[in-house]
Amino acid sequence: MTASTNPVGIIGGTGLTSLSDLEIVGEETVSTRWGEPSDKLVHGRLGDQAVVFLARHGNPHRIPPHQVNYRANLQALYDAGVRTVVGVNAVGGIHKAMGPAHVVVPDQVIDYTWGRASTFFEGELEHVTHIDFTYPYDQEGRQLLIDAARGLKLDFSDFGVYAATQGPRLETAAEIRRLERDGCDLVGMTGMPEAVLAAELGMRYVCLALVVNWAAGKSDHIITMEEIDQAIDQGMAGVKTVLERSMAGLGQLSPRSS
């Protein structure tokens, strides 16, 4: 790793519309060729590391997963100098070890979304571009998150296949059984196309997930917002601390070439 002057991007999802320990140095309303991002860019510092924070669903939380302008979000961060991004996601737990308030650093993703603008490579193109997406999450960045979580002795998993579903409704029990047969450990609605768009821009991207409920059919009761809010209250402090502990290392990752 070589020292980088680039800020680290943090995209916050449900339960993370702001960072209390973020020293804010400025806010910026921007527009991109793909339209406007979900919210203003919040420039600040976590410890000694410059960061740019973006609320994925806006602040207050108002944009549903299928209507997030993922292209504008990633483009806005890229234009702000970000080359490493941490996507924070609230998810449902499918794997037996991944119950509410459990923190996960996923290593793979399966995309079940549809109809979303999921690539920068369309329209009037000079040539077709196919990017490698074998490993959707940056391996060095993942290790930094894992090391931080281990140092904190958090209840966490260093693996997980993230199933990205369309939303905004939650899944049926039969759909969750299908995802489990497919090898999925987690289910969420915002993991894609965020990860692939970052890859298309040549950005390092990692996911830091917080399980906020058992997926449909994985408990003896229906999913309630009360349950989700309780898990966020229990687990989000750990997520924020992992971010803080890993931020310096993430900032030292050398940018990938696009």
Side-chain angles (χ1 to χ4, degrees):
M1 296 188 297
T2 57
S4 170
T5 58
N6 297 103
V8 174
I10 302 172
I11 303 178
T14 301
L16 189 67
T17 55
S18 63
L19 279 170
S20 57
D21 293 326
L22 177 66
E23 178 189 347
I24 297 175
V25 298
E27 297 180 350
E28 182 182 14
T29 300
V30 301
S31 184
T32 77
R33 62 192 178 110
W34 307 104
E36 296 182 356
S38 297
D39 202 7
K40 59 185 175 293
L41 301 182
V42 179
H43 297 263
R45 305 192 71 83
L46 272 180
D48 294 327
Q49 176 59 44
V51 302
V52 181
F53 179 83
L54 175 61
R56 185 186 288 113
H57 300 280
N59 188 11
H61 188 290
R62 67 187 185 280
I63 305 172
H66 67 297
Q67 291 187 324
V68 171
N69 191 338
Y70 296 94
R71 290 194 294 192
N73 285 354
L74 271 298
Q75 188 70 60
L77 290 173
Y78 186 89
D79 293 345
V82 170
R83 296 298 180 268
T84 297
V85 178
V86 182
V88 180
N89 298 86
V91 298
I94 299 175
H95 190 285
K96 63 182 180 181
M98 299 178 185
H102 192 74
V103 174
V104 185
V105 183
D107 60 332
Q108 281 292 330
V109 64
I110 301 178
D111 188 7
Y112 299 92
T113 66
W114 49 269
R116 301 183 182 190
S118 58
T119 182
F120 293 112
F121 300 126
E122 63 181 19
E124 298 295 326
L125 300 176
E126 295 182 1
H127 57 83
V128 177
T129 301
H130 303 284
I131 65 161
D132 178 79
F133 203 52
T134 305
Y135 302 104
Y137 305 119
D138 181 76
Q139 298 303 298
E140 290 180 82
R142 285 189 68 252
Q143 192 60 53
L144 288 166
L145 296 180
I146 290 166
D147 290 345
R150 283 180 179 152
L152 293 166
K153 295 181 171 53
L154 279 185
D155 178 22
F156 89 105
S157 294
D158 61 1
F159 70 94
V161 178
Y162 182 125
T165 58
Q166 180 69 1
R169 69 167 177 84
L170 298 174
E171 299 73 31
T172 68
E175 287 170 332
I176 293 301
R177 290 196 296 270
R178 174 202 173 192
L179 297 182
E180 189 169 23
R181 289 193 300 270
D182 285 352
C184 299
D185 303 302
L186 306 164
V187 59
M189 302 174 189
T190 54
M192 289 289 284
E194 196 170 274
V196 72
L197 292 170
E200 287 187 349
L201 289 171
M203 304 166 84
R204 295 178 182 264
Y205 181 92
V206 291
C207 173
L208 181 59
L210 175 66
V211 180
V212 297
N213 58 272
W214 284 113
K218 288 295 176 180
S219 67
D220 59 1
H221 59 273
I222 64 171
I223 300 167
T224 66
M225 285 307 302
E226 181 181 2
E227 172 189 12
I228 290 173
D229 290 341
Q230 183 178 9
I232 289 173
D233 289 342
Q234 291 176 353
M236 194 54 71
V239 168
K240 292 180 178 180
T241 307
V242 170
L243 285 174
E244 294 160 7
R245 293 283 185 93
S246 60
M247 201 50 53
L250 291 167
Q252 291 175 2
L253 293 174
S254 56
R256 294 191 185 281
S257 58
S258 58

